Amino acid sequence: MASSHRSSPPVPQSKSSDAFFKKEAESAKRFRPVQSLPDVCPKEPTGDPNSLRDSPSLVADQHRWTIYHSKVNLPAALNDPRLAKRESDFFTKTWGLDFVDTEVVPSLYLPQISKDHFTAYQLDIVQREKIHEKCKTVCPPKDTFDRTLLHTHDKSRTDLEQVPKIFMKPDFALEDPSTFNTVLPWSHFNTAGGKGNRDAASSRLLQEKLSHYLDIVEVNIAHQISLRSEAFFHAMTSQHELQDYLRKTSLAVKMLRDKIGQIDKVMCEGSLKVLRLSLTKVNCIKVYNKLKLMAAVHQTQPTVQLLLSTSEFVGALDLIATTQEVLQQELQGIHSFRHLGSQLCELEKLIDKMMVAEFSTYARSDLNRPLEDECQILEEDRLVSLVFGLLKQRKLNFFEIYGDEIIITAKNIIKQCVINTVSEIEEIDTDVVVKLADQMRMMNFPQWFDLLRNIFSNFILFLKRIKATLNVIRSVVLLVLDKNQRSKEVGEAPVQKNASRESAMDTEVAYLTHEGMFISDAFSGRDLPPTAADSASPRNVCPDSEPSSSDSVSEPECATDSSSSKDQTSSGTAPAGIETMIGEDMKLSELELVRLANNIQELLYSASDICHDRSVKFLMARAKDGFLEKLNSTEFVALSRLMETFIRDTEQICGRKSMSLRGALQSQANKFVNRFHEERKTKLSLLLDNERWKQADVPAEFQDLVDSISDGKIALPEKKTGAPEERKPMDFLVVDGQKYAVVGTVLLLIRIILEYCQCVDNIPSIATDMLTRLSDLLKYFNSRSCQLVLGAGALQVVGLKTITTKNLALSSRCLQLIVHYIPVIRAHFESRLQPKQFSMLRHFDHITKDYHDHIAEISAKLVAIMDSLFDKLLSKYEVKAPVPSTCFRNICKQMAKMHEAIYELLPEEQTQMLFLRINASYKLHLKRQLAHLNVVNDGGPQHGLVTADVAFYTGNLQALKGLQTLDLNMAEIWEQKR
């Protein structure tokens, strides 16, 4: 009975006294109604995972520990009355040493609460508390429990307390010696010492005590059974009713099953059989169609091989793509085709390699065919097909192959041109000179110039061919880009998108297999829309399709063949058949296509750069021995014009400037300018060093040269081929109506200046360098002539005895002639310079200033010569008879010599200005001497003698040619200083 009581506690009633065993200390004051046990059959899960996790089932989880096996709750464990205080290691032994009591730091956000905070509340509630206490005394609470039951419970409890605690222990066992000795103390049954009667009385007393304990326990057990008897009998009654209900339910279910079986046999079995057979028929049709599709797919590899044998890469790729799509959609999971997908992928990779190799072969054959071939594009249809296939496979770097072939071909063009030219020159022994570079260096300039012209012409044809081919490739790329953009616009409409997708599925690829069946026909289980049927019709009516001769005829091929028969009027337009090749599987983004088109255009620019680079290397190979630097002006101008023409033609073809050849030309031009300038500067230096500074005759050709400059042209006159007309040289050079007495060096300097100007016309790129060199040349002439004449350097260089006034006047006139032409030279260079280079023209301003300063110094030198003469003669002057005096006679004689020396050389205006300055110097010295002699304007004898001498001087000076109107103002000699 005790075991059954522990294992299956009965359901308590509403007024059961079981609640009194829950909490003994408050049984007299509080009574807590007992809650019912959980249902042994919980509700079915509703789909909420939380409900399954939070509420374990007693049936499903009966073999594992759940919350229903809990016997003691956590407060009961913590508040064990047998312990003086809680063990400190209760939590730490399970959850770690850190789980200990710690001091809680007061929060900064919560205020400190004290009793003063509750003062207002206590004052407010004290009145209501008094009323509440008063009501409790007036109306005591009613007892909701039976006093009799409470009395009975206290009595039974008192009786149970008589039983020793050892019998209540859960580990009570008499097998334990200590327990046995405690219950039955054998020390009381010792018969020794004549105590037998007392021991017998003790044993009887012990037996009666144990019997009394047993009676108490049985009475309490019987009492507890009597309290729960009503619930026990209620459970047994419910069990019998449940068994009767289950028996009736089983009979009802059996009758229902019999009725359903009869209905199924009479009404449903036949109809279901019909449906089953209909479904079987549909499945058989699907299997048949699937087998047809498998048969068509089985022929894919032989068909691909046949297409590859005829280089139909696009058709083979389309067939592989269609087969892959069928395998993934219609034949997915077919065991016999489990390796076909990987085989087709490997075959597709093989086709990629074959296409790359084929394109490389095409590029090699296209670029290496004879340049004389008039056909610009080699097998355009083949090129279009290859480009489309490479685009389809995303091989976007195929243009690099073409670029590599361009480099190789450019080298071969130069090599072949050199070989052909060398073979035509008998002077070059190819057996002795083996290397082509050495053979080329043995050519003279005309032969090498013809070779260079031939190379340039071949490069022009080469670039035109490259441009035509790249235009076709680029047009294909742009056509694919345009088709993608149109497809994107059409795809925005859902209806059009679905229609185009179905149409593309039918028209994408329809290649014949060896059995003569189209793969697209294998989709017989699928109803084709009318648009698809219409789009497939050109496959049957194409005039160029011949199934009997070839089993691999496709709609794209048919369209390409039909369009290839038409004349292509423009090399930059792809055949119209390419539009039918572009399917929905061209998975290239617009960014990739635009980048590819730009790369193809850049390849054309690179081709131009390659031709220029090879030409530069050819020039540098010839320039190793200084050949180009030794060219004369005519040869270098011809070379420069040829290179400029080639550069201009390549820019016109490719649309972009290439700087390598232009840079090489500029480099050679700089070297040419340096040599050109050094030669002429050396020549000018030799001329100046041998110049005796005497007036030279002016040949007729120099006069013609000056006359051509006067007409506004700065160019050397062309040499007349006929018999030379004999014309006498003139004494003066006539320029714009003025006569210039010049030395021979200046005549040659003018010719050299014109050579500089003409060189700028022939080679515009060296204008700035020529301007700098010409400025240097003019400065050199100015400084060197100053050293030779004013500095008297000609005395040692040429061996002149003295620098005469005639030499000085001639030098001044030569400088004036150069100054006259500086503005003309400046205007010539200004018209050939860029606006940003105009600052270089300031060199001419500096040169003009230097020349004017030099001319002024020469004039000052002439005045200084006479000034020293006046100082020498007038310092000995004495006022005495005869008149005119010897001093004045000598002065007039020297003035006449000066006039005779310079009158024919200098213009009349300059002569007059010079003699005015000389007269001023004469008056200054005369005035100083008269002051020294104390001769004044007093009308005395000395005044008369001086006046007679001055009149003699004035008459002689004004008698000179060109000085008649010269105002001498001799009265200034008598003016006194204030």
Side-chain angles (χ1 to χ4, degrees), residues 135-192:
C135 291
K136 286 174 61 177
T137 57
V138 173
C139 301
K142 296 181 179 180
D143 294 334
T144 57
F145 53 88
D146 193 351
R147 296 291 181 179
T148 305
L149 292 177
L150 180 60
H151 177 70
T152 305
H153 171 68
D154 294 338
K155 182 179 180 182
S156 62
R157 180 181 177 186
T158 304
D159 294 338
L160 285 175
E161 289 179 353
Q162 298 177 9
V163 180
K165 299 295 183 181
I166 191 172
F167 293 104
M168 302 300 179
K169 291 184 177 180
D171 56 347
F172 176 79
L174 290 175
E175 293 85 356
D176 186 11
S178 59
T179 304
F180 185 82
N181 292 330
T182 303
V183 174
L184 299 174
W186 292 104
S187 59
H188 296 173
F189 305 124
N190 189 0
T191 57

Side-chain angles (χ1 to χ4, degrees), residues 201-350:
S202 299
S203 62
R204 285 194 299 270
L205 181 61
L206 178 61
Q207 183 177 1
E208 291 176 359
K209 186 186 294 186
L210 293 176
S211 299
H212 178 66
Y213 293 161
L214 179 61
D215 293 338
I216 293 172
V217 171
E218 287 179 351
V219 169
N220 279 275
I221 291 174
H223 176 68
Q224 293 295 330
I225 292 174
S226 65
L227 292 176
R228 289 165 174 77
S229 60
E230 184 178 356
F232 174 76
F233 290 115
H234 176 72
M236 294 299 297
T237 303
S238 300
Q239 182 70 21
H240 291 306
E241 292 178 356
L242 182 60
Q243 290 179 356
D244 294 339
Y245 180 73
L246 289 175
R247 190 181 301 108
K248 293 179 182 179
T249 303
S250 176
L251 292 175
V253 169
K254 183 178 181 181
M255 293 176 62
L256 180 61
R257 286 182 175 178
D258 292 339
K259 292 180 180 179
I260 291 175
Q262 294 176 2
I263 293 173
D264 178 58
K265 187 175 183 180
V266 174
M267 300 180 63
C268 301
E269 187 174 352
S271 300
L272 291 176
K273 186 176 182 180
V274 172
L275 294 176
R276 191 179 299 110
L277 292 176
S278 176
L279 182 60
T280 303
K281 179 181 178 181
V282 172
N283 291 335
C284 290
I285 293 174
K286 290 182 179 179
V287 171
Y288 173 71
N289 293 332
K290 193 75 71 175
L291 291 175
K292 287 174 63 179
L293 184 60
M294 291 174 63
V297 170
H298 184 66
Q299 297 299 323
T300 298
Q301 288 180 310
T303 306
V304 169
Q305 297 293 340
L306 183 61
L307 291 172
L308 293 180
S309 63
T310 58
S311 299
E312 292 291 340
F313 300 107
V314 178
L317 291 173
D318 288 339
L319 181 57
I320 290 175
T322 303
T323 305
Q324 290 280 24
E325 184 180 357
V326 171
L327 287 175
Q328 294 176 1
Q329 296 180 0
E330 302 293 333
L331 301 179
Q332 189 175 10
I334 302 298
H335 186 71
S336 59
F337 288 154
R338 64 187 184 278
H339 301 304
L340 182 58
S342 60
Q343 292 173 358
L344 292 178
C345 290
E346 294 297 328
L347 190 59
E348 189 174 0
K349 294 179 181 179
L350 177 62

Side-chain angles (χ1 to χ4, degrees), residues 18 35 191 294 454 510 586 636 693 849 869 897 906 919:
D18 230 5
Q35 297 180 355
T191 57
M294 291 174 63
N454 187 23
M586 189 67 69
F636 189 83
W693 298 100
K849 181 179 181 301
L869 179 65
K897 287 182 179 180
L906 297 178
N919 181 61

